[in-house]
Amino acid sequence: MKYRTVFDIIGPIMIGPSSSHTAGAARIGRVARTLLGKQPKWAEISFYGSFAKTYKGHGTDVAIVGGLLDFDTFDQRIKNSLQIAKDLGIDIKIVVEDAVTDHPNTAKIKLGTNEQDAIELVGISIGGGKIEIIELNSFELRLSGNHPAILVVHDDRFGVIAAVSNVLAKHEINIGHMEVSRKEKGKEALMVIEVDHNVLDHLLDEVASLPNIIKVTKIHD
Amino acid sequence: MFRNVAELVELAENENIKISDIMIRQEMEITERSFDDIFAQMDRNLVVMEEAIERGINEDVKSVSGLTGGDAVLLQKYLKSGKSLAGEFHLDAVSKAIATNEVNAAMGTICATPTAGSAGVVPGTLFALKHKVNPTREQMVRYLFTSGAFGLVVANNASISGAAGGCQAEVGSATGMAAAAIVELMGGTPNQSAHAMAIALKNMLGLVCDPVAGLVEVPCVKRNAMGASNAIIAADMALAGIESRIPCDEVIDAMYKIGQSMSMDLKETAGGGLAATPTARALQAKIFGFSQEK
């Protein structure tokens, strides 16, 4: 079930004019900001499909930048986000792509503070303001942003998944959904773990201190 | 968890409770939140809807492009003149649907129901009902849960996105949701709600998404007006005892398949339909300059 709660249908409360292009875009931007873990210094936003064709009229660029500034869908500041970003010295680049994607409303965001501290994600806006993150740093995944989630970048070795889930079990954190993907056997891999409750930072630190773990981040509701 | 309308109706009928009861109960189970918490959140959505309508019918709201705004005010004035051909309740719902979408087009605050482009139908009909039959606050909040239950089925089995399924998925879904909710508020059965949804959605099948200049304005605002009008007729028909020959779930499935077979030009890309008319192209050039390639 893509849509679980009634508030996916009646809601979100948002700034017009489009739930897919405005509210959804703001949410994609906000997930990107959360995953980077701080305010970006630059961002390159690529639009595909309907996003590419009609982003100007819907303020999709304005909304996605609002998300990068950590604004919620109903935040009135979204309207002025391009100016706010400029005032904060954030370099924003918009790219319109011709490529045909699986979903008509697709955006790719590269963002960071410098070349080393950067991430790239691909998000889709599936309707009514609901989104999915389908790619992170070239890993395929399916992240709704509806539940708290832990993202663990690690080396593809035996025992790593068990060690991470052991830490969660010890802290009585229930796993609702989990995906593991890797670029190549034995190389870098990514665990996406959706959990029932928000997790505290010390749990993340504990996961990060395990062998073969490269980076741990979290997304909250 | 209900997966389709048939299951939703069966759950309600088996326990002799309302569709809104089923929706609230499921929400409590899935989110592990209390009744009060969930009810309060829906009440906040209701507040946002009412504020948008009040703004739309009283202020001269104008969108940035200048394409839309002010029509809800005109319709309210016309309504008060007593010259209208359609009934007062009917036109009140239509004007309040328009009000919501005019505020949306002006980048005002609205509640997506189920989307922003289709946000007028459910509140428009609801606040006209408020004026006519004076429902309790609880009945009004329940209206939104009932709408949401039918919307959830459409979203999970078809689509509520114009880009994916055409305007039938947006205003069409909203129209069906409103029709079903009107029936419940007016004392109809869960089965009658399902028939109202089916009748309403059947009349919106094949509706293309062809926004002029790519904006959620023309024809979106007036389509919400027609959606509100259609929802009222469908609800009245169901309350009169008329049944849809095609079951609601099959109508939803047909809507999905029609959407899949539509050209990309007719799904929110501004590539076809009204968006490709000479006047629309001229408006697009005026609003964005000629740089916007098409």
Side-chain angles (χ1 to χ4, degrees):
Chain A
M1 295 269 178
K2 283 183 189 167
Y3 295 79
R4 290 178 76 245
T5 147
V6 70
F7 298 108
D8 286 341
I9 306 297
I10 313 295
I13 296 170
M14 56 169 285
I15 305 298
S18 167
S19 48
S20 285
H21 293 68
T22 314
R27 282 176 165 172
I28 292 171
R30 202 166 186 215
V31 170
R33 154 74 180 249
T34 307
L35 287 172
L36 185 69
K38 54 177 108 56
Q39 188 154 289
K41 286 202 166 62
W42 57 269
E44 184 181 307
I45 302 160
S46 306
F47 289 129
Y48 300 83
S50 170
F51 269 4
K53 298 275 189 211
T54 65
Y55 80 89
K56 279 184 190 163
H58 292 108
T60 311
D61 48 347
V62 175
I64 219 162
V65 171
L68 293 177
L69 294 168
D70 211 19
F71 298 163
D72 211 327
T73 54
F74 52 80
D75 196 317
Q76 295 282 343
R77 291 176 295 176
I78 282 179
K79 287 187 227 174
N80 307 315
S81 67
L82 293 180
Q83 188 59 46
I84 297 170
K86 202 175 172 187
D87 293 346
L88 290 166
I90 304 171
D91 185 28
I92 304 283
K93 190 178 163 198
I94 305 285
V95 183
V96 177
E97 298 280 0
D98 286 332
V100 176
T101 47
D102 287 344
H103 195 278
N105 290 324
T106 302
K108 181 165 79 185
I109 313 177
K110 290 184 211 170
L111 73 166
T113 54
N114 56 46
E115 281 305 314
Q116 289 73 42
D117 183 25
I119 59 168
E120 177 186 305
L121 63 81
V122 178
I124 58 174
S125 187
I126 64 171
K130 198 161 164 58
I131 63 156
E132 283 176 16
I133 304 301
I134 57 167
E135 210 179 293
L136 176 65
N137 295 339
S138 305
F139 287 110
E140 282 182 22
L141 61 123
R142 212 189 73 224
L143 186 65
S144 65
N146 281 350
H147 305 278
I150 304 166
L151 282 82
V152 184
V153 183
H154 61 102
D155 291 324
D156 181 31
R157 303 276 189 277
F158 68 86
V160 178
I161 297 167
V164 171
S165 50
N166 272 338
V167 172
L168 293 173
K170 194 177 85 184
H171 290 276
E172 296 182 353
I173 300 286
N174 190 37
I175 296 173
H177 180 83
M178 180 165 174
E179 274 181 30
V180 185
S181 53
R182 57 187 180 185
K183 284 176 186 162
E184 241 181 278
K185 201 171 163 185
K187 298 282 169 64
E188 200 177 89
L190 175 74
M191 264 183 256
V192 179
I193 308 166
E194 283 188 354
V195 292
D196 292 347
H197 302 284
N198 289 340
V199 293
L200 298 171
D201 286 338
H202 70 82
L203 185 145
L204 298 186
D205 294 341
E206 201 174 328
V207 173
S209 67
L210 294 169
N212 298 310
I213 302 289
I214 299 164
K215 195 182 172 194
V216 184
T217 45
K218 68 172 176 177
I219 299 182
H220 276 181
D221 271 333
Chain B
M1 232 183 134
F2 56 88
R3 286 166 300 177
N4 51 46
V5 171
E7 288 181 7
L8 180 61
V9 170
E10 197 188 334
L11 282 168
E13 282 183 342
N14 282 348
E15 296 184 52
N16 199 20
I17 53 178
K18 296 177 196 297
I19 298 279
S20 51
D21 288 314
I22 301 290
M23 187 68 251
I24 294 166
R25 192 169 73 189
Q26 175 168 306
E27 189 72 16
M28 287 168 67
E29 281 167 13
I30 285 175
T31 62
E32 294 177 10
R33 293 164 64 199
S34 72
F35 178 93
D36 289 349
D37 198 13
I38 290 164
F39 212 84
Q41 185 175 349
M42 197 59 96
D43 194 271
R44 283 198 294 281
N45 286 342
L46 186 59
V47 170
V48 170
M49 290 173 185
E50 183 162 29
E51 285 172 354
I53 287 172
E54 284 300 315
R55 219 188 126 192
I57 61 174
N58 292 310
E59 288 177 31
D60 188 23
V61 178
K62 279 273 183 271
S63 65
V64 180
S65 73
L67 283 181
T68 52
D71 290 350
V73 174
L74 283 181
L75 214 43
Q76 281 285 326
K77 277 187 194 155
Y78 177 66
L79 193 58
K80 289 188 181 97
S81 75
K83 291 179 191 160
S84 69
L85 301 172
E88 188 188 334
F89 166 69
H90 209 132
L91 271 193
D92 191 30
V94 164
S95 69
K96 284 169 178 168
I98 290 177
T100 303
N101 288 87
E102 287 183 334
V103 168
N104 177 60
M107 286 189 93
T109 305
I110 54 106
C111 177
T113 316
T115 68
S118 62
V121 181
V122 170
T125 48
L126 175 57
F127 281 93
L129 278 170
K130 186 192 177 194
H131 190 64
K132 185 179 170 70
V133 299
N134 197 23
T136 63
R137 186 76 183 178
E138 183 183 335
Q139 278 180 305
M140 293 183 75
V141 175
R142 278 181 175 273
Y143 191 92
L144 301 181
F145 280 110
T146 308
S147 301
F150 283 91
L152 259 184
V153 171
V154 180
N156 281 322
N157 295 298
S159 176
I160 52 167
S161 154
C167 195
Q168 55 170 3
E170 292 206 26
V171 173
S173 300
T175 301
M177 288 158 59
I182 295 170
V183 167
E184 180 175 305
L185 192 143
M186 295 307 291
T189 65
N191 192 39
Q192 284 176 327
S193 280
H195 282 297
M197 163 104 192
I199 293 167
L201 188 55
K202 280 197 296 190
N203 290 322
M204 307 298 268
L205 292 182
L207 196 56
V208 304
C209 183
D210 51 354
V212 170
L215 301 166
V216 194
E217 301 197 45
V218 178
C220 321
V221 174
K222 293 189 181 81
R223 275 198 190 145
N224 274 263
M226 292 310 131
S229 174
N230 186 336
I232 291 164
I233 299 298
D236 258 342
M237 287 170 76
L239 286 163
I242 297 172
E243 299 196 335
S244 170
R245 293 279 180 262
I246 310 297
C248 191
D249 289 311
E250 291 184 37
V251 177
I252 292 168
D253 192 43
M255 187 272 272
Y256 185 48
K257 286 180 177 143
I258 293 168
Q260 282 178 317
S261 56
M262 271 184 198
S263 153
M264 283 305 289
D265 279 347
L266 302 174
K267 289 190 280 191
E268 214 187 50
T269 54
L274 291 171
T277 56
T279 300
R281 289 295 182 231
L283 286 168
Q284 185 178 38
K286 195 176 152 200
I287 296 164
F288 296 114
F290 288 92
S291 57
Q292 176 108 338
E293 43 90 31
K294 273 286 170 310

